Amino acid sequence: MAKKNKSIKTNAIRIIESEQIQYETRSYEIADGHNDGLSVASKTNEPAENVYKTLVAMASKTDLLVFIIPVSDELDLKKAAKAAGFKKIDMLPMKELTKETGYVKGGCSPVGMKKEFPTFIDQQAQILDYLYVSAGKVGLQMKLTPSDLAQVTRAQFVNVVKD
């Protein structure tokens, strides 16, 4: 069952607050191990088209890229590479996620990573009133407008999901 919760503070939430961006948080149960995006949408009683996942890709060992896409979609690596100005990209190996971003799988927020990486939000988000992304901790989501998310992450809206 989803709960509204404003008391938990993560790096991502602190940054959102410092930018004076309106947000809400919602926590969900993680004990069952079902923490994939579609499960999170279900547990928070939100439509899947409003819940987004944060994916980290690499064009080289030093060029990391962040893609924010709906949980029900799959990243199109060719479209993503083109949008980022590279010939080819690959997903960052999961074992490197925490080292590179400071976040764990399932708790990777596009806000507050160790470094600021080029960030891209799938263009579908532009028509939404709000979306949910990880708040930087497994079991905690934050709700904000797509434009506020783009502002705080300096993201571009691009078409990066598979058709």
Side-chain angles (χ1 to χ4, degrees), residues 7-35:
S7 62
I8 298 173
K9 298 285 184 183
T10 64
N11 258 0
I13 291 170
R14 286 184 190 93
I15 291 167
I16 292 294
E17 287 179 345
S18 74
E19 296 283 328
Q20 298 179 339
I21 291 173
Q22 292 289 318
Y23 75 98
E24 291 177 21
T25 59
R26 186 169 288 173
S27 58
Y28 59 91
E29 182 58 47
I30 61 172
D32 65 4
H34 298 288
N35 302 321

mmCIF file of all heavy atoms in Angstrom, residues 7-35:
data_model
loop_
_atom_site.group_PDB
_atom_site.id
_atom_site.type_symbol
_atom_site.label_atom_id
_atom_site.label_comp_id
_atom_site.label_asym_id
_atom_site.label_seq_id
_atom_site.Cartn_x
_atom_site.Cartn_y
_atom_site.Cartn_z
ATOM 1 N N SER A 7 8.661 13.094 5.478
ATOM 2 C CA SER A 7 9.670 13.188 6.515
ATOM 3 C C SER A 7 11.025 12.606 6.114
ATOM 4 O O SER A 7 12.035 12.989 6.668
ATOM 5 C CB SER A 7 9.176 12.525 7.795
ATOM 6 O OG SER A 7 8.934 11.156 7.549
ATOM 7 N N ILE A 8 11.072 11.690 5.162
ATOM 8 C CA ILE A 8 12.337 11.087 4.760
ATOM 9 C C ILE A 8 13.091 12.069 3.865
ATOM 10 O O ILE A 8 12.536 12.608 2.920
ATOM 11 C CB ILE A 8 12.092 9.760 4.017
ATOM 12 C CG1 ILE A 8 11.396 8.758 4.938
ATOM 13 C CG2 ILE A 8 13.402 9.190 3.488
ATOM 14 C CD1 ILE A 8 10.967 7.480 4.254
ATOM 15 N N LYS A 9 14.366 12.287 4.180
ATOM 16 C CA LYS A 9 15.190 13.200 3.383
ATOM 17 C C LYS A 9 16.327 12.423 2.738
ATOM 18 O O LYS A 9 17.131 11.811 3.416
ATOM 19 C CB LYS A 9 15.793 14.306 4.268
ATOM 20 C CG LYS A 9 14.772 15.181 4.925
ATOM 21 C CD LYS A 9 14.158 16.144 3.964
ATOM 22 C CE LYS A 9 13.229 17.042 4.743
ATOM 23 N NZ LYS A 9 12.516 17.967 3.985
ATOM 24 N N THR A 10 16.369 12.459 1.429
ATOM 25 C CA THR A 10 17.487 11.890 0.679
ATOM 26 C C THR A 10 18.206 13.046 0.005
ATOM 27 O O THR A 10 17.712 14.180 -0.011
ATOM 28 C CB THR A 10 16.980 10.905 -0.390
ATOM 29 O OG1 THR A 10 16.187 11.637 -1.334
ATOM 30 C CG2 THR A 10 16.163 9.767 0.214
ATOM 31 N N ASN A 11 19.363 12.770 -0.579
ATOM 32 C CA ASN A 11 20.074 13.810 -1.340
ATOM 33 C C ASN A 11 19.174 14.405 -2.405
ATOM 34 O O ASN A 11 19.141 15.621 -2.598
ATOM 35 C CB ASN A 11 21.314 13.212 -2.015
ATOM 36 C CG ASN A 11 22.574 13.547 -1.275
ATOM 37 O OD1 ASN A 11 22.543 14.222 -0.248
ATOM 38 N ND2 ASN A 11 23.677 13.071 -1.794
ATOM 39 N N ALA A 12 18.468 13.536 -3.115
ATOM 40 C CA ALA A 12 17.594 14.014 -4.190
ATOM 41 C C ALA A 12 16.542 14.970 -3.644
ATOM 42 O O ALA A 12 16.294 16.036 -4.226
ATOM 43 C CB ALA A 12 16.928 12.825 -4.891
ATOM 44 N N ILE A 13 15.933 14.627 -2.528
ATOM 45 C CA ILE A 13 14.902 15.483 -1.938
ATOM 46 C C ILE A 13 15.503 16.801 -1.453
ATOM 47 O O ILE A 13 14.917 17.871 -1.647
ATOM 48 C CB ILE A 13 14.157 14.737 -0.810
ATOM 49 C CG1 ILE A 13 13.310 13.620 -1.421
ATOM 50 C CG2 ILE A 13 13.297 15.693 0.012
ATOM 51 C CD1 ILE A 13 12.702 12.657 -0.424
ATOM 52 N N ARG A 14 16.674 16.750 -0.857
ATOM 53 C CA ARG A 14 17.324 17.986 -0.402
ATOM 54 C C ARG A 14 17.582 18.930 -1.578
ATOM 55 O O ARG A 14 17.396 20.139 -1.468
ATOM 56 C CB ARG A 14 18.627 17.661 0.330
ATOM 57 C CG ARG A 14 18.405 17.092 1.698
ATOM 58 C CD ARG A 14 19.733 16.881 2.446
ATOM 59 N NE ARG A 14 19.489 16.116 3.651
ATOM 60 C CZ ARG A 14 19.588 14.797 3.747
ATOM 61 N NH1 ARG A 14 19.939 14.069 2.719
ATOM 62 N NH2 ARG A 14 19.342 14.182 4.891
ATOM 63 N N ILE A 15 18.011 18.371 -2.701
ATOM 64 C CA ILE A 15 18.264 19.194 -3.890
ATOM 65 C C ILE A 15 16.967 19.794 -4.413
ATOM 66 O O ILE A 15 16.902 20.993 -4.725
ATOM 67 C CB ILE A 15 18.990 18.368 -4.971
ATOM 68 C CG1 ILE A 15 20.415 18.056 -4.509
ATOM 69 C CG2 ILE A 15 18.994 19.108 -6.314
ATOM 70 C CD1 ILE A 15 21.130 17.008 -5.328
ATOM 71 N N ILE A 16 15.929 18.985 -4.498
ATOM 72 C CA ILE A 16 14.617 19.469 -4.958
ATOM 73 C C ILE A 16 14.148 20.611 -4.053
ATOM 74 O O ILE A 16 13.672 21.643 -4.527
ATOM 75 C CB ILE A 16 13.591 18.310 -4.975
ATOM 76 C CG1 ILE A 16 13.945 17.280 -6.051
ATOM 77 C CG2 ILE A 16 12.166 18.829 -5.156
ATOM 78 C CD1 ILE A 16 13.855 17.756 -7.469
ATOM 79 N N GLU A 17 14.292 20.435 -2.756
ATOM 80 C CA GLU A 17 13.871 21.475 -1.819
ATOM 81 C C GLU A 17 14.726 22.732 -1.957
ATOM 82 O O GLU A 17 14.209 23.846 -1.891
ATOM 83 C CB GLU A 17 13.929 20.957 -0.379
ATOM 84 C CG GLU A 17 12.823 19.975 -0.071
ATOM 85 C CD GLU A 17 12.864 19.430 1.342
ATOM 86 O OE1 GLU A 17 13.904 19.569 2.042
ATOM 87 O OE2 GLU A 17 11.849 18.833 1.759
ATOM 88 N N SER A 18 16.041 22.569 -2.170
ATOM 89 C CA SER A 18 16.909 23.744 -2.302
ATOM 90 C C SER A 18 16.582 24.549 -3.562
ATOM 91 O O SER A 18 16.804 25.750 -3.603
ATOM 92 C CB SER A 18 18.388 23.329 -2.296
ATOM 93 O OG SER A 18 18.740 22.730 -3.530
ATOM 94 N N GLU A 19 16.022 23.867 -4.559
ATOM 95 C CA GLU A 19 15.604 24.543 -5.794
ATOM 96 C C GLU A 19 14.174 25.086 -5.673
ATOM 97 O O GLU A 19 13.630 25.623 -6.624
ATOM 98 C CB GLU A 19 15.678 23.567 -6.979
ATOM 99 C CG GLU A 19 17.071 23.076 -7.294
ATOM 100 C CD GLU A 19 17.906 24.096 -8.042
ATOM 101 O OE1 GLU A 19 17.337 24.892 -8.826
ATOM 102 O OE2 GLU A 19 19.128 24.100 -7.834
ATOM 103 N N GLN A 20 13.566 24.891 -4.508
ATOM 104 C CA GLN A 20 12.200 25.334 -4.217
ATOM 105 C C GLN A 20 11.175 24.776 -5.211
ATOM 106 O O GLN A 20 10.284 25.469 -5.676
ATOM 107 C CB GLN A 20 12.138 26.862 -4.154
ATOM 108 C CG GLN A 20 13.015 27.386 -3.038
ATOM 109 C CD GLN A 20 13.020 28.881 -2.935
ATOM 110 O OE1 GLN A 20 12.709 29.593 -3.873
ATOM 111 N NE2 GLN A 20 13.372 29.369 -1.757
ATOM 112 N N ILE A 21 11.362 23.496 -5.521
ATOM 113 C CA ILE A 21 10.458 22.797 -6.438
ATOM 114 C C ILE A 21 9.390 22.079 -5.615
ATOM 115 O O ILE A 21 9.696 21.436 -4.610
ATOM 116 C CB ILE A 21 11.260 21.798 -7.312
ATOM 117 C CG1 ILE A 21 12.149 22.578 -8.282
ATOM 118 C CG2 ILE A 21 10.333 20.842 -8.046
ATOM 119 C CD1 ILE A 21 13.117 21.721 -9.075
ATOM 120 N N GLN A 22 8.155 22.198 -6.067
ATOM 121 C CA GLN A 22 7.043 21.500 -5.420
ATOM 122 C C GLN A 22 7.171 19.997 -5.700
ATOM 123 O O GLN A 22 7.392 19.607 -6.855
ATOM 124 C CB GLN A 22 5.710 21.988 -5.975
ATOM 125 C CG GLN A 22 5.390 23.415 -5.593
ATOM 126 C CD GLN A 22 5.056 23.542 -4.118
ATOM 127 O OE1 GLN A 22 4.345 22.714 -3.565
ATOM 128 N NE2 GLN A 22 5.586 24.574 -3.482
ATOM 129 N N TYR A 23 7.017 19.186 -4.683
ATOM 130 C CA TYR A 23 7.097 17.737 -4.847
ATOM 131 C C TYR A 23 6.282 17.060 -3.766
ATOM 132 O O TYR A 23 5.907 17.675 -2.774
ATOM 133 C CB TYR A 23 8.553 17.267 -4.773
ATOM 134 C CG TYR A 23 9.095 17.259 -3.366
ATOM 135 C CD1 TYR A 23 9.121 16.082 -2.619
ATOM 136 C CD2 TYR A 23 9.546 18.434 -2.756
ATOM 137 C CE1 TYR A 23 9.583 16.075 -1.308
ATOM 138 C CE2 TYR A 23 10.005 18.436 -1.454
ATOM 139 C CZ TYR A 23 10.031 17.258 -0.736
ATOM 140 O OH TYR A 23 10.473 17.248 0.564
ATOM 141 N N GLU A 24 6.020 15.802 -3.983
ATOM 142 C CA GLU A 24 5.427 14.937 -2.963
ATOM 143 C C GLU A 24 6.232 13.657 -2.978
ATOM 144 O O GLU A 24 6.800 13.295 -4.009
ATOM 145 C CB GLU A 24 3.979 14.585 -3.309
ATOM 146 C CG GLU A 24 3.002 15.714 -3.227
ATOM 147 C CD GLU A 24 1.601 15.281 -3.659
ATOM 148 O OE1 GLU A 24 1.299 14.062 -3.637
ATOM 149 O OE2 GLU A 24 0.831 16.169 -4.037
ATOM 150 N N THR A 25 6.272 12.969 -1.870
ATOM 151 C CA THR A 25 6.907 11.650 -1.854
ATOM 152 C C THR A 25 5.856 10.601 -1.558
ATOM 153 O O THR A 25 4.827 10.884 -0.960
ATOM 154 C CB THR A 25 8.041 11.543 -0.807
ATOM 155 O OG1 THR A 25 7.515 11.808 0.477
ATOM 156 C CG2 THR A 25 9.178 12.485 -1.136
ATOM 157 N N ARG A 26 6.163 9.425 -2.000
ATOM 158 C CA ARG A 26 5.283 8.284 -1.740
ATOM 159 C C ARG A 26 6.184 7.071 -1.531
ATOM 160 O O ARG A 26 7.064 6.798 -2.340
ATOM 161 C CB ARG A 26 4.353 8.069 -2.926
ATOM 162 C CG ARG A 26 3.328 6.997 -2.630
ATOM 163 C CD ARG A 26 2.253 6.940 -3.638
ATOM 164 N NE ARG A 26 1.374 8.101 -3.492
ATOM 165 C CZ ARG A 26 0.414 8.391 -4.341
ATOM 166 N NH1 ARG A 26 0.214 7.627 -5.389
ATOM 167 N NH2 ARG A 26 -0.355 9.433 -4.159
ATOM 168 N N SER A 27 5.945 6.375 -0.438
ATOM 169 C CA SER A 27 6.730 5.169 -0.175
ATOM 170 C C SER A 27 5.905 3.945 -0.553
ATOM 171 O O SER A 27 4.688 4.012 -0.679
ATOM 172 C CB SER A 27 7.160 5.114 1.292
ATOM 173 O OG SER A 27 6.033 5.144 2.141
ATOM 174 N N TYR A 28 6.603 2.836 -0.741
ATOM 175 C CA TYR A 28 5.935 1.576 -1.068
ATOM 176 C C TYR A 28 6.698 0.438 -0.424
ATOM 177 O O TYR A 28 7.877 0.558 -0.090
ATOM 178 C CB TYR A 28 5.812 1.388 -2.591
ATOM 179 C CG TYR A 28 7.140 1.379 -3.320
ATOM 180 C CD1 TYR A 28 7.837 0.194 -3.539
ATOM 181 C CD2 TYR A 28 7.705 2.562 -3.775
ATOM 182 C CE1 TYR A 28 9.056 0.184 -4.188
ATOM 183 C CE2 TYR A 28 8.929 2.566 -4.433
ATOM 184 C CZ TYR A 28 9.599 1.377 -4.636
ATOM 185 O OH TYR A 28 10.814 1.369 -5.270
ATOM 186 N N GLU A 29 6.001 -0.661 -0.234
ATOM 187 C CA GLU A 29 6.553 -1.845 0.429
ATOM 188 C C GLU A 29 7.614 -2.505 -0.462
ATOM 189 O O GLU A 29 7.383 -2.709 -1.658
ATOM 190 C CB GLU A 29 5.423 -2.836 0.713
ATOM 191 C CG GLU A 29 5.855 -4.087 1.436
ATOM 192 C CD GLU A 29 6.523 -3.784 2.763
ATOM 193 O OE1 GLU A 29 5.993 -2.980 3.542
ATOM 194 O OE2 GLU A 29 7.604 -4.356 3.006
ATOM 195 N N ILE A 30 8.758 -2.839 0.126
ATOM 196 C CA ILE A 30 9.836 -3.472 -0.659
ATOM 197 C C ILE A 30 10.141 -4.893 -0.208
ATOM 198 O O ILE A 30 10.892 -5.608 -0.863
ATOM 199 C CB ILE A 30 11.132 -2.632 -0.621
ATOM 200 C CG1 ILE A 30 11.655 -2.489 0.815
ATOM 201 C CG2 ILE A 30 10.900 -1.282 -1.255
ATOM 202 C CD1 ILE A 30 13.019 -1.847 0.917
ATOM 203 N N ALA A 31 9.551 -5.334 0.887
ATOM 204 C CA ALA A 31 9.869 -6.638 1.464
ATOM 205 C C ALA A 31 9.579 -7.800 0.525
ATOM 206 O O ALA A 31 10.239 -8.835 0.587
ATOM 207 C CB ALA A 31 9.119 -6.841 2.778
ATOM 208 N N ASP A 32 8.597 -7.650 -0.371
ATOM 209 C CA ASP A 32 8.252 -8.752 -1.271
ATOM 210 C C ASP A 32 9.246 -8.923 -2.420
ATOM 211 O O ASP A 32 9.163 -9.878 -3.179
ATOM 212 C CB ASP A 32 6.825 -8.591 -1.821
ATOM 213 C CG ASP A 32 6.654 -7.364 -2.705
ATOM 214 O OD1 ASP A 32 7.643 -6.643 -2.981
ATOM 215 O OD2 ASP A 32 5.500 -7.118 -3.126
ATOM 216 N N GLY A 33 10.198 -7.985 -2.561
ATOM 217 C CA GLY A 33 11.217 -8.097 -3.603
ATOM 218 C C GLY A 33 10.761 -7.661 -4.978
ATOM 219 O O GLY A 33 11.546 -7.642 -5.915
ATOM 220 N N HIS A 34 9.496 -7.308 -5.116
ATOM 221 C CA HIS A 34 8.980 -6.848 -6.410
ATOM 222 C C HIS A 34 9.129 -5.336 -6.486
ATOM 223 O O HIS A 34 8.223 -4.590 -6.121
ATOM 224 C CB HIS A 34 7.513 -7.265 -6.594
ATOM 225 C CG HIS A 34 7.329 -8.742 -6.606
ATOM 226 N ND1 HIS A 34 7.724 -9.526 -7.668
ATOM 227 C CD2 HIS A 34 6.810 -9.583 -5.676
ATOM 228 C CE1 HIS A 34 7.443 -10.801 -7.387
ATOM 229 N NE2 HIS A 34 6.904 -10.853 -6.186
ATOM 230 N N ASN A 35 10.294 -4.894 -6.962
ATOM 231 C CA ASN A 35 10.606 -3.469 -6.968
ATOM 232 C C ASN A 35 10.889 -2.940 -8.369
ATOM 233 O O ASN A 35 11.461 -1.877 -8.519
ATOM 234 C CB ASN A 35 11.782 -3.193 -6.033
ATOM 235 C CG ASN A 35 11.485 -3.652 -4.614
ATOM 236 O OD1 ASN A 35 10.376 -3.503 -4.130
ATOM 237 N ND2 ASN A 35 12.463 -4.247 -3.962
#
